[in-house]
Amino acid sequence: MSELLSVSEATRQLLAHFTPLQSICLPLDQARNQVSAEDIQASFDLPQFTNASMDGFAVRSTDVVAAGEQSPVRLEVVADIPAGRWLQLRLEAGKAARIMTGAPLPDGADAVVPVEGTDVRFRGPGQPAPPSVLIFAPAQAGDNVRRKASDVKAGNLILAKGRRLQPQDLGMLAMFGMRLVAVTRRPRVAVISTGDELQPLDSALQPGKIYDSNNTLLSAQVEKYGGESLCFGVVPDEAATIEAVLDRAVAGGADLIVSSAGVSVGAFDYVRHVVERNGHLQFWRVNMRPGKPLAFGVYRSVPFIGLPGNPVSAFVTFELFVRPALLKMKGIEGDERRIQSVTLVEAVESDGRESYLRAVAREEDGQWIARLTGHQGSGNLFSLVQANALLIIPAGVRALAKGSQAQAWIL
């Protein structure tokens, strides 16, 4: 278990332990960014009926095929059709009906002439339809008409299982009158920070101590990727206390436990030993920078991921390992990372491990370029704040010259 695993192998082993969670039904106004738990078919046609796509006059195209500015055609107006009203009407030759956008096209009509093409350019709200209308523009069958089922046919797949629901998706479901949608339940993630040096944010900072940033950082990442964060605050380096907090996480229904610090080989790194005593660790070292001391296993039947304590290491390892686990629990397959080829504007050094270096990547004169955001110490969170990408240096590469091509993970 002390073998250094590659990032890809560690990811493979870790993800093999996760499956999509059960589904729940949510109201549409609570379902944004949730993941569809089933395929959704159209329950009826869209549009449900043939209708006008513009305000104007419904006509028979054969009546106005020769209409023009110098040879207008006069039609008798026999009906006024606002949106939302269904009329039992058949339009006969030489007749027209004033019609509003979205209103059902009457039988017999096959086109709509916009008001701009008539002598009725403007009539104020509440004004009745005129007795007749002059048509100054020709119309072809289908002009300014939205045909029944031209968008979606009943039975068509409209949203596939595993789709992250965006506002337009929810709007589409609302068009079918759906109030609820089946989504995969949000993963409940217990977030634990360990270390005697840590202080909560609501306390006065003592000499030799630092404020706990990882609870805030990791909880925000959990929420970003659709999980529900269960925060357990700062936990001291005491085996009994660590075990008690982990037990509280299990009792609280956590689907995943994520800790930071305590999984390395220090004299006070108790987390790894507590997990092994009450479960097992599958691996605890990965050939990467930052974040070599990363642990994965099971604590009392709940998957456990132990991240390094330094905030940059915690962030990067979360993105590499916790993020895909959350996505898989939500039913999303695939990586979803945006990888961009970049040209280095400076030489970059590494130590031979697969490295994820903080960088700024941008497009300049049609070419993507990248530079580092300063020193790459794993405690330098400010360099991550300045970054918009992680520059990926493959394992075994110790240096890349200025002008070299590399891959950047756009954050």
Side-chain angles (χ1 to χ4, degrees), residues 5-6 53 66 110 194 216 256 267 350 402:
L5 291 181
S6 67
S53 65
D110 62 0
T194 66
T216 300
L256 171 64
S350 183
K402 178 180 178 179

Side-chain angles (χ1 to χ4, degrees), residues 152-333:
V152 177
K153 295 183 184 297
N156 282 170
L157 176 68
I158 55 172
L159 293 175
K161 178 179 179 180
R163 181 183 178 97
R164 193 192 301 273
L165 297 174
Q166 299 301 305
Q168 60 269 32
D169 302 328
L170 301 178
M172 173 61 73
L173 298 182
M175 291 187 79
F176 289 101
M178 294 180 62
R179 296 182 300 106
L180 302 173
V181 59
V183 299
T184 305
R185 179 174 64 79
R186 295 177 68 192
R188 293 168 58 85
V189 183
V191 177
I192 301 168
S193 289
T194 66
D196 289 338
E197 76 280 14
L198 302 178
Q199 283 191 214
L201 303 184
D202 59 357
S203 63
L205 195 60
Q206 301 299 312
K209 304 285 189 177
I210 60 173
Y211 282 123
D212 171 37
S213 61
N214 282 352
N215 255 309
T216 300
L217 173 68
L218 299 176
S219 294
Q221 286 176 286
V222 168
E223 297 288 337
K224 176 181 179 180
Y225 295 114
E228 178 186 351
S229 177
L230 310 175
C231 290
F232 288 87
V234 175
V235 181
D237 289 319
E238 300 169 356
T241 305
I242 291 169
E243 184 170 336
V245 170
L246 292 175
D247 286 343
R248 284 172 52 204
V250 174
D255 300 299
L256 171 64
I257 300 171
V258 174
S259 75
S260 61
V263 294
S264 190
V265 293
F268 297 95
D269 289 339
Y270 292 111
V271 174
R272 182 162 61 92
H273 302 290
V274 171
V275 172
E276 289 179 310
R277 189 165 63 239
N278 296 279
H280 74 273
L281 284 182
Q282 186 158 334
F283 61 79
W284 67 276
R285 295 201 305 166
V286 179
N287 187 32
M288 63 177 293
R289 170 191 177 214
K292 182 173 72 171
L294 179 128
F296 171 66
V298 173
Y299 181 86
R300 300 196 194 280
S301 78
V302 177
F304 166 86
I305 301 177
L307 308 179
N310 280 318
V312 175
S313 299
F315 175 90
V316 172
T317 50
F318 185 104
E319 292 290 319
L320 277 168
F321 300 105
V322 182
R323 177 189 57 84
L326 291 177
L327 295 181
K328 190 169 182 182
M329 282 192 282
K330 288 179 66 63
I332 298 175
E333 295 292 341

Side-chain angles (χ1 to χ4, degrees), residues 7 289-290 316 320 354-358 390-392 409:
V7 171
R289 170 191 177 214
V316 172
L320 277 168
E354 184 168 322
S355 298
Y356 294 81
L357 308 182
R358 286 138 274 169
L390 295 174
L391 194 63
I392 305 172
W409 175 357

Side-chain angles (χ1 to χ4, degrees), residues 36-93:
S36 173
E38 59 188 15
D39 289 342
I40 302 175
Q41 282 83 26
S43 54
F44 47 75
D45 295 335
L46 286 180
Q48 292 176 260
F49 47 84
T50 300
N51 65 86
S53 65
M54 297 186 71
D55 293 344
F57 289 83
V59 299
R60 298 164 64 101
S61 60
T62 53
D63 286 341
V64 297
V65 69
E69 288 288 341
Q70 305 304 317
S71 55
V73 173
R74 182 175 294 277
L75 301 175
E76 180 186 357
V77 177
V78 297
D80 200 9
I81 312 176
R85 180 176 298 175
W86 189 274
L87 294 182
Q88 296 295 328
L89 170 70
R90 181 169 183 82
L91 208 61
E92 303 295 344

